[in-house]
């Protein structure tokens, strides 16, 4: 059973990473069937989680939820309600709920995730931070922006401690945190966070990276909201130029940035 499982599981991973999603899902279901037939609950839970992730990636949210819920039941039975595997499976289901705009359900699960990690001295900072980021998105969508900001600030602190203050993976957290300030007229603070994200991207992934271009656009929006139109124009012109030099000349982001640039010139 072990050899067959490993073979099927690796086949699933290889196909998925190669973009062959339908074949990957078929292999994942074969792995689930093999584990179920063998009565191997641990591998069955992992296989169901894989099926859930692939269904979610291809937009089949109903099948994704069914697979992830069954995986969660098995993981809780096998490992117990306070185990890190349970936390990871809860998180996976919660992110599905976030993606399908079921924010109250997502919040409930994410609070369970964080409760498990808080009791586990071996919990990784990255795992706790991801739980906080998911919780921030859930409560922000419910209008609780101050709570979202608090979650993101805590997540940022954990990730800075784990990765250092110049890791490009901090960028999305900085941008999300900036958004919470910008939504409540904290434009100057938002601008500071966006400039930091932009600097990190410039020093690590480089100006040609999509993340750098996104940060340029975000900072330009911030400057426009503050009436700094010339500064916004310069950033938007740079963003458009970088996109036009890229491999996709018809990138829809170009049209969006050109619209913003026209607005900045008015």
């Amino acid at each position: 059973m072990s050899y067959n499982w490993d073979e099927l599981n690796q086949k699933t991973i290889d196909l998925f990473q190669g973009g062959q999603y339908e074949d990957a899902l078929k292999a994942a279901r074969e792995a689930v069937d093999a584990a179920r037939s063998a009565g191997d609950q641990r591998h069955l839970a992992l296989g169901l989680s894989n099926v859930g992730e692939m269904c979610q990636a291809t937009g089949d949210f109903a099948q994704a939820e069914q697979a992830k819920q069954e995986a969660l039941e098995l993981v809780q039975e096998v490992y117990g309600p306070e185990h890190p595997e349970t936390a990871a499976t809860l998180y996976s289901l919660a992110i599905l709920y976030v993606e399908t705009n079921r924010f109250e359900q997502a919040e409930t699960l994410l609070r369970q995730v964080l409760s498990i990690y808080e009791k586990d001295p071996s919990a990784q900072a990255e795992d706790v931070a991801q739980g906080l980021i998911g919780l921030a998105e859930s409560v922000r969508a419910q209008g609780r922006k101050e709570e979202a900001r608090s979650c993101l600030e805590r997540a940022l602190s954990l990730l800075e401690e784990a990765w250092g203050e110049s890791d490009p993976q901090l960028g999305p957290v900085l941008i999300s945190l900036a958004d919470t300030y910008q939504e409540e007229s904290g434009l100057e603070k938002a601008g500071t966070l966006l400039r930091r994200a932009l600097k990190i991207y410039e020093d690590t992934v480089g100006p040609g990276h999509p993340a750098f271009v996104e940060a340029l656009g975000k900072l330009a929006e911030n400057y426009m909201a503050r009436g700094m139109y010339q500064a916004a124009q310069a950033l938007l012109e740079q963003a458009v130029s970088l996109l036009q030099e890229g491999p996709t000349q018809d990138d829809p982001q170009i049209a969006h940035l050109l619209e913003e640039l026209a607005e900045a010139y008015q």
Side-chain angles (χ1 to χ4, degrees), residues 14 33 37 141 152 157 228-229 238 249 254 259:
D14 291 343
D33 290 342
S37 296
L152 288 169
S157 177
M228 301 164 61
Y229 297 112
Q238 184 182 1
Q249 300 296 319
I254 295 176
E259 288 176 5

Side-chain angles (χ1 to χ4, degrees), residues 48 73 77 119 149-150 160-161 205 256 261:
L48 286 164
E73 291 172 5
E77 182 179 336
K119 297 172 187 174
R149 184 182 305 139
S150 176
E160 286 174 333
E161 187 175 341
V205 298
H256 172 68
L261 186 56

